[in-house]
Amino acid sequence: MNPTVTQDLSLFHLISSASVFVQLVMLMLLLASLLSWWYIFRKMFVLREAVKQSDDFEDSFWRGADLNVLYQRAVSSRYAPSSMERIFVAGFGEFSKHKPGANIDMMMDSIRRAMQATYQREMDKLESHLSFLATVGSVSPYIGLLGTVWGIMNSFRSLSNITQATIAHVAPGIAEALIATAMGLFAAIPAVIAYNRYVSDIEKLATRFESFMEELSNVLQRRAPTNLE
């Protein structure tokens, strides 16, 4: 074998010897991957805590606890209330504002609007950063492919000064270019998997919140005649 064409194909050497443009592409993908993993783990803990808090609050609610006690405990607690608890506070707080003799239909409409507004804010919080994961999952492969195409172009352009080209001359350039594609996939695959999983989990929480809003509306409507005589 001709020793002049023997190349160091170690990963570190391939990255360090890549063109500046390909290195920038790799750096961009690395940062996108690290940031997406941060959001993946952060969202995992947030959703897990949201499910646990919802379970605890629903357990207290359906055990027959006094709604006034639940409301006072939620608004006076030094800990941040859960999403479902905030929906309850919005609905029961609006219910408490109405005086005896108020129109029940108008009262229930205002209660539902208050809960709906809080529900939307809570959903926005739960869905935060999901768009970033979706963007990383959809764009990263194309960014990696751009780096690969650029690297392969440089490899073939370098052959213009070589009279007898062999695979050994182009292998390092192609190998370093393909690293960009690999990094694009490495960034995209976890982001797509996490996005699909978290969207499903958030949809389940949204269904629970909506069901709770309807159930709370029914409870408050049953209390209205005796409370608003």
Side-chain angles (χ1 to χ4, degrees):
M1 180 181 291
N2 187 351
T4 60
V5 296
T6 301
Q7 300 288 344
D8 182 1
L9 296 181
S10 65
L11 184 62
F12 176 78
H13 177 78
L14 290 174
I15 294 175
S16 62
S17 62
S19 66
V20 175
F21 181 80
V22 175
Q23 287 180 339
L24 289 175
V25 168
M26 292 178 182
L27 179 61
M28 184 186 306
L29 291 171
L30 177 61
L31 293 175
S33 178
L34 292 175
L35 194 56
S36 66
W37 276 107
W38 164 256
Y39 286 136
I40 286 171
F41 284 111
R42 182 179 178 185
K43 186 63 65 178
M44 178 180 67
F45 292 122
V46 167
L47 292 178
R48 184 178 297 173
E49 184 65 16
V51 171
K52 180 180 181 301
Q53 290 178 335
S54 297
D55 290 341
D56 293 341
F57 181 76
E58 277 192 313
D59 185 57
S60 299
F61 183 85
W62 292 115
R63 271 206 313 251
D66 186 272
L67 297 187
N68 289 290
V69 174
L70 282 179
Y71 178 78
Q72 292 301 325
R73 186 175 67 186
V75 297
S76 61
S77 174
R78 62 176 180 173
Y79 300 105
S82 64
S83 296
M84 187 175 289
E85 206 167 0
R86 289 191 184 98
I87 294 172
F88 166 75
V89 168
F92 192 80
E94 187 67 24
F95 174 80
S96 303
K97 292 177 183 177
H98 289 80
K99 299 179 180 179
N103 183 277
I104 294 180
D105 291 334
M106 293 180 61
M107 179 192 70
M108 295 308 304
D109 183 61
S110 65
I111 290 172
R112 290 189 180 96
R113 282 188 280 109
M115 289 193 295
Q116 185 64 37
T118 302
Y119 163 83
Q120 193 58 57
R121 286 194 295 270
E122 296 304 314
M123 292 305 300
D124 289 342
K125 292 178 184 177
L126 292 174
E127 292 172 352
S128 63
H129 307 307
L130 284 184
S131 59
F132 177 81
L133 294 179
T135 301
V136 170
S138 60
V139 173
S140 292
Y142 296 103
I143 296 176
L145 183 60
L146 174 62
T148 297
V149 171
W150 187 271
I152 291 176
M153 285 172 52
N154 285 338
S155 295
F156 282 107
R157 280 196 306 179
S158 66
L159 297 179
S160 60
N161 298 324
I162 301 177
T163 55
Q164 290 185 343
T166 65
I167 189 64
H169 289 101
V170 298
I174 294 176
E176 69 188 29
L178 291 175
I179 293 176
T181 296
M183 292 183 68
L185 295 174
F186 180 78
I189 292 173
V192 171
I193 293 174
Y195 174 81
N196 291 332
R197 170 63 185 272
Y198 294 154
V199 165
S200 175
D201 292 343
I202 290 173
E203 287 177 352
K204 292 177 183 177
L205 278 171
T207 301
R208 290 184 63 177
F209 294 162
E210 290 169 355
S211 298
F212 176 76
M213 288 163 59
E214 289 298 320
E215 292 162 347
L216 180 59
S217 296
N218 293 334
V219 170
L220 296 180
Q221 190 167 11
R222 287 194 296 268
R223 286 178 56 128
T226 57
N227 207 41
L228 302 175
E229 290 178 352

Coordinates of all heavy atoms in Angstrom, one line a residue, residues 9-42:
L9 N -8.3 8.1 10.0 CA -9.8 8.2 9.9 C -10.4 8.2 11.2 O -11.6 7.8 11.4 CB -10.3 7.0 9.0 CG -9.8 7.0 7.6 CD1 -10.4 5.8 6.8 CD2 -10.2 8.3 6.9
S10 N -9.7 8.6 12.3 CA -10.3 8.7 13.6 C -11.3 9.8 13.6 O -11.2 10.7 12.8 CB -9.2 8.9 14.7 OG -8.6 10.2 14.5
L11 N -12.3 9.6 14.5 CA -13.4 10.6 14.5 C -12.9 12.0 14.8 O -13.3 13.0 14.1 CB -14.5 10.2 15.5 CG -15.7 11.1 15.7 CD1 -16.5 11.0 14.4 CD2 -16.6 10.6 16.8
F12 N -12.0 12.1 15.8 CA -11.5 13.5 16.1 C -10.7 14.1 15.0 O -10.9 15.3 14.7 CB -10.6 13.3 17.3 CG -9.9 14.6 17.7 CD1 -10.6 15.6 18.4 CD2 -8.6 14.9 17.4 CE1 -10.0 16.8 18.8 CE2 -8.0 16.1 17.7 CZ -8.7 17.1 18.4
H13 N -9.9 13.3 14.3 CA -9.2 13.8 13.1 C -10.1 14.3 12.0 O -9.9 15.3 11.4 CB -8.2 12.8 12.6 CG -7.4 13.3 11.4 ND1 -6.3 14.1 11.6 CD2 -7.5 13.0 10.1 CE1 -5.8 14.4 10.4 NE2 -6.5 13.7 9.5
L14 N -11.1 13.5 11.7 CA -12.1 13.8 10.7 C -12.8 15.1 10.9 O -13.0 15.9 10.0 CB -13.1 12.7 10.5 CG -12.5 11.3 9.9 CD1 -13.6 10.3 9.9 CD2 -12.0 11.6 8.5
I15 N -13.2 15.3 12.2 CA -13.9 16.5 12.6 C -12.9 17.7 12.5 O -13.3 18.8 12.0 CB -14.5 16.4 13.9 CG1 -15.6 15.4 13.9 CG2 -15.1 17.7 14.4 CD1 -16.3 15.1 15.3
S16 N -11.7 17.6 13.1 CA -10.8 18.7 13.1 C -10.3 19.1 11.7 O -9.9 20.2 11.5 CB -9.6 18.3 14.0 OG -8.9 17.2 13.5
S17 N -10.2 18.1 10.8 CA -9.7 18.4 9.5 C -10.8 18.8 8.5 O -10.5 19.1 7.3 CB -9.0 17.2 8.9 OG -9.8 16.1 8.8
A18 N -12.1 18.8 8.9 CA -13.2 19.2 8.1 C -13.1 20.7 7.7 O -12.4 21.5 8.4 CB -14.5 18.9 8.7
S19 N -13.8 21.1 6.7 CA -13.8 22.5 6.3 C -14.5 23.3 7.4 O -15.3 22.8 8.1 CB -14.4 22.7 4.9 OG -15.8 22.3 5.0
V20 N -14.3 24.6 7.3 CA -14.9 25.5 8.3 C -16.4 25.4 8.3 O -17.1 25.4 9.3 CB -14.4 26.9 8.2 CG1 -15.1 27.9 9.1 CG2 -12.9 27.0 8.4
F21 N -16.9 25.4 7.1 CA -18.4 25.3 6.9 C -19.0 24.1 7.5 O -20.0 24.1 8.2 CB -18.8 25.4 5.4 CG -20.3 25.4 5.2 CD1 -21.0 26.6 5.3 CD2 -20.9 24.2 4.8 CE1 -22.4 26.5 5.1 CE2 -22.3 24.2 4.6 CZ -23.0 25.4 4.8
V22 N -18.3 22.9 7.2 CA -18.8 21.6 7.8 C -18.7 21.6 9.3 O -19.6 21.1 10.0 CB -18.1 20.5 7.2 CG1 -18.5 19.1 7.8 CG2 -18.3 20.4 5.7
Q23 N -17.6 22.2 9.8 CA -17.4 22.3 11.3 C -18.5 23.2 11.9 O -19.0 22.8 13.0 CB -16.0 22.9 11.6 CG -14.9 21.9 11.4 CD -13.6 22.5 11.7 OE1 -13.4 23.7 11.8 NE2 -12.6 21.6 11.9
L24 N -18.9 24.3 11.2 CA -20.0 25.1 11.7 C -21.3 24.3 11.8 O -22.1 24.5 12.7 CB -20.1 26.4 10.9 CG -19.0 27.4 11.0 CD1 -19.2 28.5 10.1 CD2 -18.9 27.9 12.5
V25 N -21.5 23.5 10.7 CA -22.7 22.7 10.7 C -22.7 21.7 11.8 O -23.8 21.6 12.5 CB -22.8 22.0 9.3 CG1 -23.9 20.9 9.4 CG2 -23.1 23.0 8.2
M26 N -21.6 21.1 12.1 CA -21.5 20.1 13.2 C -21.7 20.8 14.5 O -22.4 20.3 15.4 CB -20.1 19.4 13.2 CG -19.9 18.5 12.0 SD -18.2 17.8 12.0 CE -18.2 16.9 10.5
L27 N -21.1 22.0 14.7 CA -21.3 22.7 15.9 C -22.8 23.1 16.2 O -23.3 23.0 17.3 CB -20.4 24.0 15.9 CG -20.5 24.9 17.2 CD1 -20.1 24.1 18.4 CD2 -19.7 26.1 17.0
M28 N -23.4 23.6 15.1 CA -24.8 23.9 15.2 C -25.7 22.7 15.6 O -26.6 22.8 16.5 CB -25.3 24.4 13.8 CG -26.8 24.9 13.8 SD -27.3 25.4 12.2 CE -26.0 26.6 11.7
L29 N -25.4 21.5 15.0 CA -26.2 20.3 15.3 C -25.9 19.9 16.7 O -26.8 19.4 17.4 CB -25.8 19.2 14.3 CG -26.3 19.4 12.9 CD1 -25.7 18.4 12.0 CD2 -27.8 19.4 12.8
L30 N -24.6 20.0 17.2 CA -24.3 19.6 18.5 C -25.0 20.5 19.6 O -25.6 20.0 20.5 CB -22.8 19.8 18.8 CG -22.2 19.4 20.2 CD1 -22.6 18.0 20.5 CD2 -20.8 19.7 20.3
L31 N -25.1 21.8 19.3 CA -25.8 22.7 20.2 C -27.3 22.4 20.2 O -27.9 22.4 21.3 CB -25.5 24.1 19.8 CG -24.1 24.7 20.0 CD1 -24.0 26.1 19.5 CD2 -23.7 24.6 21.5
A32 N -27.8 22.1 19.0 CA -29.3 21.8 18.9 C -29.6 20.5 19.7 O -30.6 20.4 20.4 CB -29.7 21.7 17.5
S33 N -28.6 19.5 19.6 CA -28.8 18.2 20.3 C -28.8 18.4 21.8 O -29.6 17.9 22.5 CB -27.8 17.2 19.8 OG -27.9 16.0 20.5
L34 N -27.8 19.2 22.3 CA -27.7 19.4 23.7 C -28.9 20.1 24.3 O -29.4 19.8 25.3 CB -26.4 20.2 24.0 CG -25.1 19.4 23.7 CD1 -23.9 20.3 23.9 CD2 -24.9 18.2 24.6
L35 N -29.3 21.1 23.5 CA -30.5 21.9 24.0 C -31.7 21.1 24.0 O -32.6 21.2 24.9 CB -30.6 23.2 23.1 CG -31.6 24.3 23.7 CD1 -31.1 24.7 25.1 CD2 -31.6 25.4 22.7
S36 N -31.9 20.3 22.9 CA -33.1 19.4 22.9 C -33.1 18.4 24.0 O -34.1 18.1 24.6 CB -33.2 18.7 21.5 OG -32.1 17.8 21.4
W37 N -31.9 17.8 24.3 CA -31.9 16.9 25.5 C -32.2 17.6 26.8 O -32.9 17.0 27.7 CB -30.5 16.2 25.6 CG -30.3 15.1 24.6 CD1 -29.6 15.0 23.5 CD2 -30.9 13.8 24.8 NE1 -29.7 13.8 22.9 CE2 -30.5 13.0 23.7 CE3 -31.8 13.2 25.8 CZ2 -30.9 11.7 23.6 CZ3 -32.2 11.9 25.6 CH2 -31.7 11.1 24.5
W38 N -31.8 18.8 26.9 CA -32.2 19.6 28.1 C -33.7 19.7 28.2 O -34.3 19.5 29.3 CB -31.5 21.0 28.1 CG -32.1 22.0 29.1 CD1 -32.9 23.0 28.7 CD2 -31.9 22.0 30.5 NE1 -33.3 23.7 29.9 CE2 -32.7 23.1 31.0 CE3 -31.2 21.2 31.4 CZ2 -32.7 23.4 32.3 CZ3 -31.3 21.6 32.7 CH2 -32.0 22.7 33.2
Y39 N -34.3 20.1 27.1 CA -35.8 20.3 27.1 C -36.5 18.9 27.3 O -37.6 18.8 27.9 CB -36.3 20.9 25.9 CG -36.0 22.4 25.8 CD1 -35.4 23.0 24.7 CD2 -36.2 23.2 26.9 CE1 -35.2 24.4 24.6 CE2 -35.9 24.6 26.9 CZ -35.4 25.1 25.7 OH -35.1 26.5 25.7
I40 N -35.9 17.8 26.7 CA -36.5 16.5 26.9 C -36.6 16.1 28.3 O -37.6 15.7 28.8 CB -35.7 15.5 26.1 CG1 -35.9 15.7 24.6 CG2 -36.0 14.0 26.5 CD1 -35.0 14.8 23.7
F41 N -35.4 16.2 29.1 CA -35.4 15.8 30.5 C -36.3 16.8 31.3 O -37.0 16.4 32.2 CB -34.0 15.8 31.0 CG -33.3 14.6 30.6 CD1 -32.2 14.7 29.7 CD2 -33.6 13.3 31.0 CE1 -31.5 13.5 29.3 CE2 -32.9 12.2 30.6 CZ -31.9 12.3 29.7
R42 N -36.2 18.1 31.0 CA -37.0 19.0 31.8 C -38.5 18.8 31.6 O -39.3 18.8 32.6 CB -36.6 20.5 31.3 CG -37.4 21.6 32.1 CD -36.9 22.9 31.6 NE -37.7 24.0 32.2 CZ -37.5 25.3 31.9 NH1 -36.7 25.6 31.0 NH2 -38.2 26.2 32.6

